[in-house]
Amino acid sequence: MERGLILLAAALMVFVAPGVQGTAHLSFATNRTVNITRDGCGSTKLCVETPADCDPAGNGTCLFGAVNTSTPMAPNGTDLSIQLRGNSQGYVALGLTANASVGITMLFICAQNSSNNGTFFFRTMQRNNTDSMLSPTETIVREIRGSVEGDMIRCEFDVPGVNATSTRTSHAITFSILLGSGTVTGGVIGAFNSTLNSGPLNITNPASNVVNTTPAPTTTTSGASSVLYPHALLLLLSVLTLSVKLRA
Ligand SMILES: *[C@@H]1O[C@H](CO)[C@@H](O)[C@H](O)[C@H]1NC(C)=O
Ligand SMILES: *[C@@H]1O[C@H](CO)[C@@H](O)[C@H](O)[C@H]1NC(C)=O
Ligand SMILES: *[C@@H]1O[C@H](CO)[C@@H](O)[C@H](O)[C@H]1NC(C)=O
Ligand SMILES: *[C@@H]1O[C@H](CO)[C@@H](O)[C@H](O)[C@H]1NC(C)=O
Ligand SMILES: *[C@@H]1O[C@H](CO)[C@@H](O)[C@H](O)[C@H]1NC(C)=O
Ligand SMILES: *[C@@H]1O[C@H](CO)[C@@H](O)[C@H](O)[C@H]1NC(C)=O
Ligand SMILES: *[C@@H]1O[C@H](CO)[C@@H](O)[C@H](O)[C@H]1NC(C)=O
Ligand SMILES: *[C@@H]1O[C@H](CO)[C@@H](O)[C@H](O)[C@H]1NC(C)=O
Ligand SMILES: *[C@@H]1O[C@H](CO)[C@@H](O)[C@H](O)[C@H]1NC(C)=O
Ligand SMILES: *[C@@H]1O[C@H](CO)[C@@H](O)[C@H](O)[C@H]1NC(C)=O
């Protein structure tokens, strides 16, 4: 609980930005464009996209996600920097899961409110991979930047302290990355339609999906990770729901 409060304070410091309005939801307006490109894919960031090799900087349909990680794994865990870009009148989302058919997926959702001129907003949700139900989760997310132009949604955010050490296995850095989209109806997030599943990737290695020759060997340890990870995810991604509205 105490740690939760400390993290809350840290996050609030990040969010108390110029133009804060309202009380329940921290919100602020920005005119800054969010630029998302392929620069660094395979070297400083791990990129996934559909259709293959599509250009997130272009105007075409392209659902693109990129993850980079801070180097220190211990003792404070890894910080993730995530970029997401896609086309939707509702939302696009990036999911992290140990196994897309069991356990849970953490969904990071970048959305537009079409009844309010395409206002950007951000949510985190948890998807039950068995029955696809979404439920709100409390996850620390910092430095959320987002923009909406027509159906093009772009956002960037950081997820601090994904703590791999507490799972006692390096395999807690093995995630499948999901990309997909869904509807927003009256501010309510609709079902997640997953259109890409990367399969298990070492998310600390930007090139882990570049050489696509041999799949990772199936060992008893990788089995263990899929059992451990959903649990770890619940414990580690902590205590705060942030809802941030940006006007592009
Ligand atoms: C995004 O790119 C545009 C055009 O290149 C540039 O004017 C703008 O400053 C960039 N924004 C950021 C945040 O880098
Ligand atoms: C991750 O991306 C952020 C923002 O672009 C950058 O400051 C940081 O250096 C990157 N980290 C790595 C390990 O490349
Ligand atoms: C993308 O669309 C904008 C605005 O419609 C236009 O100015 C720009 O030239 C287009 N870029 C490409 C690469 O087509
Ligand atoms: C870990 O977090 C603590 C408390 O936030 C901080 O004082 C310490 O410098 C961090 N250590 C590393 C290696 O980042
Ligand atoms: C995901 O879980 C299913 C059911 O337990 C299992 O058959 C499959 O091998 C797992 N996939 C991975 C990549 O661990
Ligand atoms: C919505 O967008 C239209 C056209 O860009 C603009 O005229 C109108 O003032 C906007 N309304 C709000 C509430 O921002
Ligand atoms: C996911 O849904 C299934 C079926 O409704 C349920 O048995 C299971 O407990 C749920 N898992 C979680 C983590 O909520
Ligand atoms: C990460 O896990 C280790 C081992 O359980 C623990 O000592 C450390 O405090 C954790 N760090 C954070 C930021 O929760
Ligand atoms: C899910 O997305 C695919 C590809 O964009 C689309 O063809 C399909 O109709 C969508 N399904 C639902 C239920 O929205
Ligand atoms: C993940 O990738 C990093 C960076 O390439 C590497 O140091 C680490 O050993 C890899 N871990 C696993 C479990 O493959």
Side-chain angles (χ1 to χ4, degrees):
M1 178 57 91
E2 194 180 357
R3 183 170 142 241
L5 291 172
I6 291 165
L7 291 169
L8 174 65
L12 286 176
M13 277 159 53
V14 171
F15 279 97
V16 176
V20 170
Q21 325 154 346
T23 49
H25 288 171
L26 297 159
S27 63
F28 55 94
T30 178
N31 292 315
R32 250 193 352 179
T33 321
V34 178
N35 293 327
I36 295 176
T37 69
R38 298 193 66 90
D39 293 353
C41 283
S43 55
T44 61
K45 65 191 187 188
L46 172 61
C47 301
V48 294
E49 75 283 312
T50 180
D53 297 324
C54 65
D55 181 9
N59 287 344
T61 298
C62 179
L63 182 54
F64 174 90
V67 177
N68 85 357
T69 52
S70 66
T71 20
M73 292 296 295
N76 291 356
T78 306
D79 297 347
L80 308 182
S81 293
I82 295 179
Q83 296 180 315
L84 175 62
R85 181 270 192 219
N87 302 85
S88 176
Q89 296 294 341
Y91 72 86
V92 293
L94 182 145
L96 295 176
T97 185
N99 181 330
S101 53
V102 297
I104 59 148
T105 299
M106 274 300 314
L107 274 186
F108 300 95
I109 292 170
C110 293
Q112 63 169 312
N113 186 343
S114 55
S115 61
N116 188 16
N117 260 9
T119 312
F120 174 82
F121 68 98
F122 182 88
R123 287 285 149 76
T124 59
M125 301 281 258
Q126 176 178 309
R127 183 185 75 155
N128 182 328
N129 292 337
T130 312
D131 63 8
S132 296
M133 291 295 290
L134 299 182
S135 43
T137 50
E138 299 180 330
T139 304
I140 301 266
V141 180
R142 288 186 186 145
E143 303 282 354
I144 301 165
R145 288 140 291 174
S147 71
V148 175
E149 285 174 49
D151 75 345
M152 196 194 298
I153 300 173
R154 286 178 284 205
C155 61
E156 301 178 304
F157 49 91
D158 297 339
V159 188
V162 177
N163 189 345
T165 58
S166 59
T167 66
R168 298 174 299 275
T169 165
S170 61
H171 292 275
I173 58 176
T174 303
F175 297 83
S176 292
I177 302 176
L178 309 184
L179 294 178
S181 58
T183 59
V184 175
T185 310
V188 177
I189 302 292
F192 176 61
N193 182 6
S194 174
T195 45
L196 177 131
N197 178 352
S198 71
L201 295 174
N202 173 350
I203 59 156
T204 66
N205 178 5
S208 64
N209 64 345
V210 171
V211 183
N212 233 355
T213 47
T214 41
T218 331
T219 64
T220 48
T221 44
S222 71
S225 77
S226 61
V227 173
L228 280 170
Y229 190 67
H231 181 59
L233 201 55
L234 284 168
L235 287 174
L236 300 176
L237 297 175
S238 343
V239 288
L240 176 64
T241 299
L242 294 172
S243 174
V244 176
K245 296 183 177 183
L246 304 178
R247 194 171 63 229

